[in-house]
Amino acid sequence: MTAMTMPISDLFSVVTLSDPANRAPSWKALLGWPDRGDAHLDHHARTDAQRNLWASRLDDAVTRSPRPVLLVAEGESCHATAWWARLSPASYVSKVAGALLFAPRGDAETAQKFLSPRVVLPFPSAVVDGHAPRHADDLQALAASWGSRFVEAGPVSIAAREPAQEPAWQQAHGLLMRLTANMVDRKLRVAETLGIRL
């Protein structure tokens, strides 16, 4: 019996989230991926009302997707995405296959605006930063609070592992799967140690 395979791009939808003032999103600068995915939301929430409207639009983008969703965010959008994921109904976040969070940035005001329960994100995620090694400790702590893997890498170390002909968003999905595979292995080992059958 022959197994049927589908291109990864047919298995998920990409929702990109970025600052409208940034002409070159971090994922484009680092890896040459497109500016936008299947759906795109600019993030410019200066007030609670704007933040809530943005969250409503993300709800809509995720729930309307015919496939599981890969979120790709940068900058303050990473904090907004984490806030959304922690507070959204399980039925919404269950459609998210994972998230790649590029160069999260924010200050005390950002932390206050996106205050949420201190629980890990309900899907696999990775914080990717290739620009600011001096902030690596802060980003590692942030990644740990989100339950995310932390990757401090430039374009060569991330992209070189992917075949050059592979479409960009397939590379994104492949990257997420590689970065989160050991998280799954760790959870299985813990479950086995505790005698839990999955």
Side-chain angles (χ1 to χ4, degrees):
M1 183 173 179
T2 306
M4 291 184 62
T5 59
M6 294 175 62
I8 291 176
S9 58
D10 290 341
L11 298 178
F12 72 98
S13 296
V14 175
V15 176
T16 50
L17 311 145
S18 64
D19 183 334
N22 190 349
R23 294 185 183 165
S26 297
W27 60 82
K28 182 179 177 83
L30 275 173
L31 302 168
W33 294 345
D35 288 352
R36 295 170 179 244
D38 300 303
H40 179 82
L41 292 174
D42 282 329
H43 177 265
H44 48 82
R46 302 294 169 245
T47 67
D48 288 352
Q50 290 173 329
R51 178 200 64 190
N52 295 343
L53 180 59
W54 176 89
S56 176
R57 290 178 177 154
L58 182 52
D59 288 344
D60 190 54
V62 169
T63 57
R64 283 179 174 265
S65 172
R67 302 182 295 270
V69 172
L70 175 63
L71 300 173
V72 179
E74 71 152 348
E76 192 172 289
S77 291
C78 298
H79 295 275
T81 300
W83 169 82
W84 172 84
R86 286 171 160 175
L87 296 175
S88 290
S91 60
Y92 290 9
V93 295
S94 67
K95 287 199 68 175
V96 178
L100 295 172
L101 307 167
F102 284 82
R105 63 180 180 274
D107 52 20
E109 184 180 337
T110 302
Q112 187 62 34
K113 186 188 332 180
F114 298 112
L115 200 57
S116 59
R118 296 185 64 83
V119 295
V120 299
L121 302 185
F123 41 73
S125 59
V127 170
V128 182
D129 185 65
H131 299 297
R134 67 187 179 279
H135 299 303
D137 289 344
D138 292 339
L139 289 179
Q140 285 176 339
L142 182 62
S145 76
W146 289 341
S148 305
R149 287 288 310 277
F150 175 74
V151 181
E152 183 182 6
V156 174
S157 60
I158 295 175
R161 298 179 188 168
E162 301 293 347
Q165 71 278 11
E166 189 173 21
W169 293 126
Q170 286 184 276
Q171 291 179 24
H173 188 270
L175 172 61
L176 180 68
M177 293 305 100
R178 281 198 313 276
L179 294 175
T180 58
N182 70 341
M183 292 170 59
V184 173
D185 290 342
R186 186 172 65 239
K187 287 178 181 177
L188 288 174
R189 285 195 304 274
V190 168
E192 188 176 290
T193 301
L194 296 173
I196 299 169
R197 291 178 175 257
L198 299 176

